[in-house]
Amino acid sequence: FSVIPARVIMMSSTKVIEKLKQGIQSLDKCPEPKSGDLTEEPLSYFINYLTPAMIEEARIQLKETDEIKPKALEDLRELIKNERNLSSPTDDTFLLAFLRARKFNVKKAFKLVQNYWSFRKEHKNIYDSSDRNSVKQLILKPIMGALTHRDRNGCVVLVFKVGLWNPEDDVYEQMFRAVTAVLVHSIQFPATQVCGYRMIFDLRGLSWAQLKLCTPSNMLLMIRSTQ
């Protein structure tokens, strides 16, 4: 563990919030990209294919090739089928998301599949679909969401306006479920699996009401859900 300076520990919550606000204000001063820099039409969030540039990115960064992919899919499928305590889809579309996340290392992808289902089993309340309407209503609020178009690199751009979240109306667990739903929806697209995300956190209006919920256990829960 790193040592936290005493002056940071003694800083009041008000000062912390002010520091965060200053950081956001400094971002507002960043120059806008020149129109000449944007040489291609923006890609839709809903793109369901890989562009030639994305295919090349997958080859270089993820080691995805026409030679490697079929064998990796078959090996991962076999590992899942031979695991007694694991019930999981084994279609190509589902498995490719895990292989890409682990650069086509089959053993690591298999571990990720195990972690995925283990986490869902351990936290059934988060993935309970009986109250879909309330989660949908939360997603429709102007608190979070994805831009309609991806950035120039093909990344999904997610925006979180944390200051608009009222924990009294929408408890942390409900917010977690909504964030999970957004991520699950966006990761189904091959372009997202290859290019990833850009996340924008708008902290204007942030207060202690939201900060006090950033506990180690809540942060660990968020991290574990993506591992």
Side-chain angles (χ1 to χ4, degrees):
F1 295 94
S2 59
V3 178
I4 302 176
R7 60 185 177 84
V8 175
I9 296 176
M10 296 301 293
M11 186 180 293
S12 68
S13 59
T14 302
K15 289 185 178 180
V16 171
I17 294 171
E18 286 304 314
K19 290 291 184 182
L20 290 171
K21 287 181 178 178
Q22 290 172 15
I24 293 299
Q25 290 168 358
S26 67
L27 291 177
D28 292 337
K29 299 177 182 178
C30 293
E32 293 290 329
K34 298 178 181 179
S35 57
D37 294 337
L38 305 177
T39 57
E40 299 180 357
E41 288 294 321
L43 294 170
S44 169
Y45 166 87
F46 294 99
I47 181 174
N48 59 0
Y49 61 89
L50 295 179
T51 66
M54 291 176 185
I55 293 174
E56 181 65 9
E57 180 75 6
R59 184 186 70 81
I60 296 173
Q61 298 296 335
L62 308 182
K63 303 177 182 178
E64 179 177 345
T65 66
D66 291 338
E67 294 74 29
I68 291 175
K69 185 161 61 175
K71 180 67 164 56
L73 282 167
E74 188 57 37
D75 289 347
L76 179 55
R77 187 175 291 112
E78 195 65 23
L79 285 173
I80 293 173
K81 288 181 177 179
N82 291 334
E83 184 66 25
R84 291 183 178 180
N85 299 320
L86 181 61
S87 177
S88 171
T90 57
D91 58 278
D92 288 2
T93 300
F94 182 82
L95 298 184
L96 272 174
F98 293 89
L99 285 168
R100 285 169 174 152
R102 291 298 179 263
K103 298 185 177 182
F104 280 79
N105 183 309
V106 175
K107 290 184 178 179
K108 290 183 178 180
F110 177 59
K111 181 63 177 177
L112 186 60
V113 172
Q114 289 178 306
N115 291 345
Y116 174 79
W117 291 113
S118 175
F119 185 85
R120 289 178 70 99
K121 183 178 180 180
E122 183 180 348
H123 299 280
K124 290 182 179 180
N125 57 314
I126 294 175
Y127 297 93
D128 179 17
S129 60
S130 62
D131 193 19
R132 290 183 179 180
N133 188 58
S134 62
V135 174
K136 180 180 178 180
Q137 292 304 315
L138 179 53
I139 293 174
L140 291 176
K141 290 182 179 181
I143 300 174
M144 62 178 158
L147 299 187
T148 56
H149 291 85
R150 297 166 181 266
D151 76 353
R152 68 185 66 188
N153 295 317
C155 303
V156 167
V157 182
L158 299 178
V159 180
F160 298 92
K161 298 185 177 182
V162 187
L164 297 182
W165 170 36
N166 184 348
E168 293 185 0
D169 293 336
D170 303 301
V171 297
Y172 179 83
E173 182 180 280
Q174 194 73 338
M175 176 59 71
F176 187 93
R177 292 176 67 191
V179 172
T180 299
V182 170
L183 293 175
V184 168
H185 183 270
S186 58
I187 200 63
Q188 69 179 306
F189 299 104
T192 309
Q193 297 167 15
V194 172
C195 302
Y197 296 90
R198 302 284 187 192
M199 295 191 179
I200 300 173
F201 290 89
D202 185 344
L203 302 182
R204 286 171 291 189
L206 183 69
S207 68
W208 184 244
Q210 295 94 12
L211 282 175
K212 68 181 181 181
L213 294 174
C214 297
T215 62
S217 59
N218 283 343
M219 293 299 98
L220 181 61
L221 183 66
M222 184 67 71
I223 293 171
R224 282 193 58 206
S225 70
T226 62
Q227 299 300 307

